[in-house]
Amino acid sequence: MKAVLSSMLVFLLLYAPDDGGTGEGIALVLSGGGARGLAHIGVLKALEEEGVRVCGLAGTSMGALISGLYACGYNAAQLDSIAADIDWLHLFSSAPEPRMALLPDRIRKREDLVTLSLQGLTPVIPASAVSNMRVGLLLSSLTGPTQVIRGTSFDSLPIPLRVVAVDIPECRRVVFQAGDLSRALLASMAIPAVFPAIREGEMLLVDGGVFDNLPVDAAAKAWPGLPVLAVDVGTGYRDSFPDNPSILEVGNYTFDALSRRVNEQHAVESDWYFAPDLHDKRIWSFGSRDSLVRWGYEQTRDWLAGHPEIPRGDPGKPPWNPGVFTVRNIMISGNHRVSFSAVSAWLSLSRGDSVTPEILRRVSEELYASNLFENLRFRMYPGGSEGEVDVAFTLKENIPAFLGIGMTYHSDYGLDSRITIEHRNAFNRGMNGLVNAGGGQRYVFLEGAINTGSGGGYTKLEGSMHQIKGEEPAADGSSPVRVWSDHSLSLSFGRTVSWFGITELGAGWFGRRYSGSSGEGYPALFVRAAADTRDDPTAMAPGTSVTLFFSASPQPGHVHHLFKWRLDGIVDTPGNFTSGVSTWGQLLTGDSYDWQYSRCTADRAIPGYRWNSLPSRQRTAAEIFVQHPLAGPVSIGAKGAAAWDFEAIGNPWDGALHHGYGAFLQMNVPGGSVKLSVGRPDEGPVRWVVSMGSHYSFGPGR
């Protein structure tokens, strides 16, 4: 009997609401307002310090997010710490976590002037401007433990809660009081066209602020015995407008006007109304978190001093620790085209593992880094016994195919262009397939590759065909006009080294055929090792990059060996500059073909020189550069490079020095960059290049 009574007492302590709407306290209503909603954290801090007991919560949009976490048991200090730890730009980003995307996937990134997702051959318009995936993962991990313990009714939370959203098909306000809390919070903050709408059954849900940004009536109806304090951090009514507003401003003003009119349908007067002065901060001012929280706190303290009638006496809210759970089962849904084996290769979670909110977010980020999914979420369910949970992952597959376009104009070669079609789930096995084609003045090319891998290992099959008509600089200094075609086919096996490195072994065939000749070629075995600590290997991001390559050809009469290297070191320097030093080169021994001189030394360019215009058997080169942002996505930079070319390894001093310097103006665009480069060599005229979504050296011999 004693054991039964003890169990009942534990049940009541864990599962009963803290107040349930009775006793000395208030119902608190928090409005939407984007980043301005961070001021609600300061409001809660002040209420806790003054001993104001919150017995019910209702919120919209950002107010719903703060209300939902507070209702789950987190106190104001914990909410402040959570907000301080968030990288807000990363939270709304759709890019995989750099430290979780393996190097082979990161170095495949291309710069495209235009990138279109393809459903079959039909371009697909994105569902929203900003991803809500990481917001969803954060909310699921923070609210899931409380719902596992307390259940799915919002009245069973430590503080009863109401969350407001809008159902577009039915054109009605929805007040959530049960279900998956993280989904309700996502729906409440789904600003139309900014965040994706949330589908729940027949409902298509968007931001509750469209119909009711301050849901006082929802709180009054839920807890009729509690007085209501409404905190409004919305942008308020604009009493002045610019003389010549832009199209975006007109659209924003129109939306605000319509929203205000609809909000009036649900307007109910609260017992107390408080609107802190947030100094015209905008809804995306997440960088002002400290100021917003401070203003909310200080002004609430001042406001409470003038309202002694608000009931006090709460002893304070202790911090909430979700604890550790054990995984009983793992469920996966939504992978219609991606095979289960491709999913499991990226899922680092097993039955029996111990999990915390942080671990579940990390596991989800690793799965997202596969690049197979546009969105994913998880939900925690109670397991068979105390401390056990079932974890269900719901996946939304990426549209696997997309098309990229790039163009370059060179003062010597004219206009080049390319088109790329990539499939990220070839044969429904999570494989990456790519076809790249293009050309320009007197040359065309076709390239293809397919990659597959799991468990840190991968296999890559790639081939290329290029045909060029033009001057081919030779080792003797002549430049005959010729027509030639290059071709290659290789198969390699690699293994990743953590997130930043790879080792690769392979074999291939490499050849050339001149017009009117039978062609030449050679087989080769090769090994490649690479490491890159930059978040984005395709950009001038801080970090270090090293690539080493060695190949050996047993071709009779042309036995030769090739060693190539490349080292880049990039740092941020004072004054908002980015600077770097690079070195690259090659050593070629044995009986190689003459045409390998130009083909094998075209890894990097010297400003002002034609690509491939400095054929050499041996080369060692270096480059320095500096880049500085001008405004927004525009930056300017300068670079200088020099190379020492020589014929024999045994006589390195018998060679020639080539050098050049130049400047560039670059603007980052959604797909890549638009870049104007001007270079002056030590010999010859100044040359310039305009590239749009494509490195100026794209293509053989260019």
Side-chain angles (χ1 to χ4, degrees):
M1 185 65 179
K2 184 177 180 180
V4 173
L5 291 175
S6 299
S7 299
M8 292 177 63
L9 179 61
V10 171
F11 179 85
L12 290 173
L13 289 174
L14 287 176
Y15 292 89
D18 287 356
D19 192 278
T22 63
E24 290 294 324
I26 65 168
L28 182 63
V29 177
L30 303 182
S31 78
R36 294 167 61 90
L38 294 172
H40 290 316
I41 297 175
V43 173
L44 292 170
K45 275 188 175 183
L47 293 176
E48 287 181 6
E49 287 188 8
E50 286 292 313
V52 178
R53 186 174 188 181
V54 178
C55 299
L57 283 159
T60 294
S61 196
M62 195 65 171
L65 188 152
I66 302 297
S67 296
L69 297 183
Y70 199 70
C72 282
Y74 301 96
N75 63 22
Q78 287 180 297
L79 295 183
D80 193 18
S81 178
I82 291 170
D85 290 341
I86 291 175
D87 180 344
W88 293 96
L89 290 178
H90 183 63
L91 187 70
F92 300 126
S93 168
S94 60
E97 185 72 44
R99 296 300 190 270
M100 294 179 181
L102 301 178
L103 186 58
D105 297 312
R106 293 190 291 134
I107 61 179
R108 272 203 301 267
K109 178 184 174 183
R110 303 177 323 278
E111 290 191 341
D112 296 315
L113 176 63
V114 177
T115 301
L116 298 173
S117 297
L118 297 177
Q119 191 75 57
L121 296 177
T122 304
V124 178
I125 299 175
S128 63
V130 179
S131 171
N132 69 352
M133 186 201 72
R134 287 194 172 93
V135 181
L137 295 179
L138 179 67
L139 294 176
S140 294
S141 67
L142 294 176
T143 64
T146 303
Q147 289 207 288
V148 165
I149 296 172
R150 296 274 187 158
T152 57
S153 170
F154 294 177
D155 284 328
S156 68
L157 297 173
I159 302 177
L161 173 71
R162 296 294 183 267
V163 174
V164 173
V166 172
D167 180 20
I168 294 298
E170 295 295 326
C171 195
R172 66 185 179 94
R173 185 187 70 166
V174 178
V175 180
F176 286 99
Q177 54 188 0
D180 183 350
L181 176 55
S182 65
R183 294 288 286 173
L185 299 180
L186 272 185
S188 184
M189 60 180 295
I191 302 173
V194 177
F195 292 107
I198 302 299
R199 173 68 71 177
E200 285 291 320
E202 297 298 318
M203 295 188 296
L204 187 64
L205 301 166
V206 296
D207 193 308
V210 174
F211 277 15
D212 190 3
N213 200 45
L214 194 64
V216 174
D217 64 330
K221 181 179 179 180
W223 311 291
L226 292 176
V228 178
L229 167 59
V231 181
D232 188 359
V233 298
T235 54
Y237 179 73
R238 179 179 291 272
D239 56 8
S240 64
F241 298 86
D243 293 334
N244 298 296
S246 68
I247 184 172
L248 294 177
E249 290 174 324
V250 171
N252 186 51
Y253 299 153
T254 303
F255 178 82
D256 285 346
L258 294 174
S259 180
R260 282 199 307 273
R261 177 56 60 90
V262 177
N263 267 244
E264 292 172 359
Q265 300 176 12
H266 299 283
V268 171
E269 188 174 347
S270 60
D271 294 277
W272 301 283
Y273 175 84
F274 174 51
D277 179 9
L278 302 181
H279 304 279
D280 294 324
K281 291 296 181 182
R282 310 310 301 165
I283 63 173
W284 289 106
S285 301
F286 289 100
S288 302
R289 181 201 67 85
D290 290 342
S291 297
L292 290 164
V293 174
R294 186 180 71 254
W295 293 332
Y297 168 74
E298 293 174 349
Q299 294 181 39
T300 303
R301 287 293 303 270
D302 294 341
W303 184 85
L304 286 171
H307 292 80
E309 74 279 8
I310 294 181
R312 274 116 163 138
D314 189 61
K317 190 176 184 183
W320 155 240
N321 179 15
V324 179
F325 295 89
T326 300
V327 177
R328 184 184 69 162
N329 289 310
I330 301 171
M331 296 163 282
I332 296 175
S333 63
N335 55 316
H336 306 296
R337 294 185 299 267
V338 181
S339 66
F340 180 78
S341 61
V343 176
S344 61
W346 288 88
L347 185 62
S348 60
L349 187 67
S350 303
R351 296 176 60 183
D353 286 352
S354 297
V355 293
T356 62
E358 294 77 12
I359 290 175
L360 286 172
R361 291 200 297 272
R362 176 182 58 77
V363 168
S364 301
E365 286 281 1
E366 289 173 350
L367 186 56
Y368 182 65
S370 68
N371 211 25
L372 296 172
F373 308 107
E374 173 187 334
N375 204 328
L376 62 90
R377 59 187 175 94
F378 68 84
R379 186 175 179 185
M380 302 170 64
Y381 295 92
S385 60
E386 184 179 351
E388 283 191 335
V389 294
D390 296 335
V391 182
F393 290 92
T394 302
L395 311 174
K396 183 179 181 182
E397 295 175 332
N398 250 327
I399 297 174
F402 62 91
L403 177 146
I405 297 172
M407 290 185 290
T408 299
Y409 186 86
H410 194 288
S411 59
D412 286 334
Y413 300 122
L415 182 66
D416 297 346
S417 61
R418 66 170 174 82
I419 184 169
T420 301
I421 297 178
E422 185 167 354
H423 201 288
R424 293 177 285 202
N425 185 30
F427 309 115
N428 295 340
R429 302 295 298 176
M431 303 167 67
N432 184 282
L434 180 144
V435 176
N436 203 15
Q441 185 179 9
R442 296 182 294 180
Y443 96 105
V444 293
F445 68 91
L446 175 66
E447 300 170 336
I450 189 164
N451 301 265
T452 181
S454 66
Y458 63 93
T459 303
K460 178 170 62 175
L461 176 66
E462 56 186 339
S464 65
M465 297 179 63
H466 311 85
Q467 187 171 71
I468 306 171
K469 179 180 180 180
E471 295 182 358
E472 184 192 16
D476 61 6
S478 63
S479 297
V481 176
R482 312 178 74 173
V483 177
W484 71 90
S485 60
D486 291 332
H487 47 274
S488 67
L489 181 66
S490 66
L491 176 67
S492 57
F493 304 90
R495 176 157 292 276
T496 59
V497 181
S498 185
W499 59 271
F500 58 82
I502 56 174
T503 56
E504 190 173 288
L505 298 173
W509 176 269
F510 308 89
R512 172 175 288 193
R513 181 180 183 277
Y514 290 99
S515 178
S517 71
S518 58
E520 300 172 325
Y522 63 92
L525 300 174
F526 59 85
V527 57
R528 178 186 292 113
D532 201 321
T533 62
R534 294 174 294 176
D535 287 348
D536 183 357
T538 66
M540 292 182 181
T544 302
S545 172
V546 180
T547 302
L548 304 175
F549 177 88
F550 176 78
S551 70
S553 173
Q555 178 76 357
H558 288 280
V559 176
H560 64 275
H561 305 85
L562 174 65
F563 174 67
K564 300 167 71 173
W565 74 90
R566 173 175 172 175
L567 170 63
D568 300 294
I570 302 174
V571 296
D572 288 330
T573 50
N576 204 17
F577 284 88
T578 299
S579 305
V581 178
S582 302
T583 178
W584 73 95
Q586 75 162 30
L587 301 175
L588 183 61
T589 66
D591 297 319
S592 60
Y593 294 100
D594 289 343
W595 51 268
Q596 286 183 260
Y597 282 48
S598 58
R599 284 291 293 160
C600 291
T601 59
D603 289 335
R604 297 288 289 268
I606 299 175
Y609 275 101
R610 289 185 175 185
W611 194 253
N612 250 14
S613 65
L614 296 172
S616 176
R617 187 176 177 84
Q618 324 296 341
R619 166 167 294 173
T620 178
E623 174 186 273
I624 58 173
F625 79 87
V626 61
Q627 185 172 349
H628 181 70
L630 290 180
V634 180
S635 60
I636 191 170
K639 63 171 57 180
W644 180 257
D645 296 337
F646 54 101
E647 178 65 21
I649 294 179
N651 188 17
W653 308 115
D654 184 13
L657 178 68
H658 303 282
H659 58 85
Y661 58 90
F664 59 88
L665 182 68
Q666 179 173 311
M667 181 176 69
N668 294 326
V669 296
S673 62
V674 177
K675 190 172 184 179
L676 169 63
S677 304
V678 179
R680 173 178 288 278
D682 57 302
E683 298 178 0
V686 172
R687 292 182 170 86
W688 57 273
V689 181
V690 177
S691 61
M692 295 173 286
S694 179
H695 193 275
Y696 74 87
S697 61
F698 194 90
R702 314 304 284 176

